[in-house]
Amino acid sequence: MQEFAYTAACDDSSCDGPFAWRDFLEYLRQGLETLGSDLLAIRHVQGELLDAGLELVDYRQLKCPVGPWAKKRRLQECGHILRDVCMEGLTGLARKPFGKGLQWKQERIEVFLIEVRKALTAEENGLPKFHSYFPFYNIVARKPLGPQ
């Protein structure tokens, strides 16, 4: 099983202070929770697999940059693609959780998304300003072997 934890994780101080992308993800989580969904459900899957009787449950957690800020060229490319995917989906992602879940008017959503887009594309000295990433979980488990 593979999934992102949809949080704006960051290992340096670049995301300290105001950061609309982090706010977007938190509002998304709150809106989905109001509607009965858990945006961060992947964090509970390992325990749920154990509770279901699976064995040899293991996971790897990786970091997927949101934006081309990583030092490694391959991660820069991945980050660029992931940022573009996030930007393309903002309106659709926000519509129901922000509108029905948080009771925001459409105008408020659109104005907020302008700030989110600015944060995702912000640069300082020609480099991405914010160094956020999605934690990526890769979870494996095995069904117990029956009697042979």
Side-chain angles (χ1 to χ4, degrees):
M1 179 177 305
Q2 300 177 9
E3 182 64 87
F4 291 121
Y6 295 96
T7 61
C10 185
D11 293 338
D12 60 23
S13 61
S14 68
C15 299
D16 293 351
F19 186 31
W21 174 239
R22 177 184 53 231
D23 299 341
F24 172 84
L25 293 168
E26 177 57 21
Y27 291 138
L28 184 64
R29 186 197 64 74
Q30 291 173 12
L32 286 170
E33 184 177 286
T34 300
L35 298 171
S37 288
D38 182 359
L39 182 64
L40 304 175
I42 191 64
R43 293 179 172 178
H44 313 292
V45 169
Q46 188 175 7
E48 291 172 351
L49 291 172
L50 288 169
D51 291 346
L54 278 79
E55 56 189 26
L56 300 176
V57 178
D58 193 24
Y59 82 98
R60 264 180 83 190
Q61 185 176 333
L62 304 170
K63 299 175 183 181
C64 293
V66 180
W69 57 264
K71 290 182 182 177
K72 292 183 180 178
R73 180 98 172 123
R74 183 171 177 213
L75 289 176
Q76 286 178 357
E77 292 173 12
C78 292
H80 194 87
I81 292 167
L82 184 54
R83 181 187 66 188
D84 289 351
V85 167
C86 291
M87 298 253 311
E88 287 293 321
L90 285 176
T91 302
L93 285 169
R95 183 169 287 124
K96 192 168 184 179
F98 286 41
K100 291 188 178 182
L102 300 178
Q103 303 299 311
W104 286 20
K105 300 280 187 225
Q106 188 60 35
E107 296 80 21
R108 180 178 178 189
I109 295 171
E110 289 303 323
V111 169
F112 178 64
L113 293 182
I114 291 169
E115 295 305 312
V116 175
R117 288 182 187 99
K118 286 180 185 177
L120 285 170
T121 58
E123 293 185 350
E124 278 186 350
N125 301 319
L127 298 171
K129 179 177 180 178
F130 300 109
H131 305 156
S132 72
Y133 62 88
F134 284 150
F136 178 77
Y137 289 79
N138 182 359
I139 303 171
V140 294
R142 185 179 78 185
K143 184 177 176 180
L145 298 174
Q148 303 265 336

